[in-house]
Amino acid sequence: MSRLTAFFRARPFLADFLSLAGIFVYAGVMWHFVRIQFSVIDEGLYLYKGWLLASGAYIPFQDNGLWMNQMPLSYLIPGWVQVWLGPGLTAGRMFSFALGMFSILGWWLTARRLGGRWAAMGVVWAMALNPAAARMSALAASQGLVAALLAWTMFFSLGSDRKWWQLFLGGLLAGTVVMARINLLLLLPLLGLYVLFSKPTWRWGGFFFILAGMLVTFGGTHALYWPNILRLWARWLPLPFLADFFAPPNIPVWKPGTAFLLKVASFFLAFRAHFAALVGSLAAMVFWPQRGKMKEERAAIFLLLFFLSSFMLHAWAALGNEYCIFCFQTYTTFYAGIGLLLAAVTLPRWNWNPPLWRKLLGGITLLALLGGMAYSAEGLVRDSLPENFYKRLLALPMPGFDGAQIWQVFANKFGLEYEHIADATQAWFPVAVAVIFGLVIFLAGRIFWGSKHGFSAGFVVLILIGTLFAPSPFIAGEYKAYDCPADVLPSYEAAGAELMKVVPPGSKVYWAGYSPATLLYLPGIEILPGQLHGVYSFRISEDDAAIRRYGWWNQSLAEDWLAQADFVLMEQRDLERESLSEEQLAGFELVLQTAPQSCRSGSAVLVYRKSDR
């Protein structure tokens, strides 16, 4: 083993060669996912609202404008790109591809400088082998944007060799990160403290420059949109002095499931979708180098604190609230690169024989994570097993019970019905298998590497298995909810071209569709802004003025806008679901049904024109 390690250390050029190969693989993966996924509502919102804001149709946080449920730069940046390239889904997806390449390049260069070439190579291949994170970043939403901004924030900010102009750029990017993703707010104070205490000989000068950069983007954006930008802060920090910026009283109609077990499944889905980043950061904590062994120890501590705070804040945002409990895995995409960088920075100096308490806590945590990931994959495991597998399993004789079947023993002992036992078996059998698998790997590590390094070997082998097999459906390969079998971009462009022939600029459009990306092909139309979010911004309230001022809509506003509208746009599936009744459409005539925008069922756009035109 030592000879093999010495061989690779003596040939660092191999690491760079393999890293470049991994970057090319990642480029191919991203290019594929950029083109085959149909547009979802979040993507359409970032693109269309961004276009409206960047083109001057609306101003962020204006009264009776767009609902600004995210920081302004998350919309404005893709909007500015479309001002340059032209509006449309293709422009947004090409921007996502470029961001993906900037992102992996930034993480690689930063890890290479702080952790070495081989550690950086591991970061690159962890990204290249993860189809879930690549799919999430390929959509023109904010995940890819924030990940790229974070990567280059770390590149310019971390390391004792950073110059003041680099720290200024790092501060600019850090402020931009928060102005695109409010949940990463702790990046600013943590990064400032890191610079302040990282190198006494220039800490005040460096702190001044990174603070100046933060003030330009963070402070400048607030100054531009003051005071209504406080509406967003009031949503997350409902403090008394922000009372004037609270949302108006309302009752939301969007109420997803909030069952505890669904939240448990969502929590562990994030570990499957980002196995290398999350479990790699756990390994960094378990094998944390001895004090003074790392050259960039303060950078590692900063990464650890920022990673943990980001993990907890996004877990609270997804699992502690009710509006999107299964968003945790997509939220993790924002900061997953920090977990990979943390593992890379600490890896060269890992303490391979950590204290007993860290071994126990780390081993138990990893086994629990394996079991939890298996729990979240229960349906996939069931579908992958032979038919009636669980029935045959429960019908096996239980040893020591005179031939009684397993289900009979549990039924007699706990008074359970067969159906309850069968359901529990389906849920817990994969958990037991995953935990046993982990224990076997730990045991094999002890056998082959001895008691001193057996735990470490087992831990690392499990990480390698999870990373290398990330494309498997049992880890990150199951996430393919928006995939189509072929390129969807030409279909959206073709549907958009059909719409432009029928809906002229200046038309008032009642929007009842899915992804607002469809509206990118209709420049100059008038909309009811609250409708862009669909049911997510629909409120029960009698105060029409307050609801519209905040960027929402209600039944009264919908009826009033329908009476004014020249056109109604919806997808075929919305007609089938009776989003609008025949009575409401009585004054309109169907003038166009486009070809399907994607493989998504019912994705053709229906255009109804007011019949008196």
Side-chain angles (χ1 to χ4, degrees), residues 202-267:
W202 53 250
R203 64 182 185 184
W204 286 109
F207 178 73
F208 170 80
F209 274 89
I210 200 165
L211 181 62
M214 292 175 183
L215 288 175
V216 170
T217 47
F218 182 81
T221 306
H222 277 78
L224 280 174
Y225 305 119
W226 191 269
N228 281 354
I229 194 173
L230 294 177
R231 290 177 180 174
L232 191 53
W233 290 107
R235 177 187 173 197
W236 295 103
L237 301 171
L239 302 173
F241 72 89
L242 294 175
D244 292 342
F245 300 94
F246 287 174
N250 68 93
I251 300 174
V253 299
W254 169 249
K255 295 179 180 179
T258 57
F260 174 74
L261 290 180
L262 291 178
K263 293 184 177 183
V264 171
S266 174
F267 178 81

Side-chain angles (χ1 to χ4, degrees), residues 520-549:
L520 290 167
Y521 304 97
L522 297 174
I525 63 171
E526 294 183 48
I527 57 167
L528 179 63
Q531 288 187 322
L532 296 178
H533 287 260
V535 68
Y536 303 105
S537 57
F538 192 89
R539 297 295 189 267
I540 298 175
S541 171
E542 296 181 358
D543 192 343
D544 294 0
I547 291 298
R548 181 161 191 170
R549 184 169 60 250

Side-chain angles (χ1 to χ4, degrees), residues 48-65:
Y48 188 59
K49 288 167 69 174
W51 165 252
L52 293 175
L53 293 171
S55 62
Y58 292 91
I59 298 172
F61 303 103
Q62 75 174 72
D63 288 342
N64 303 319

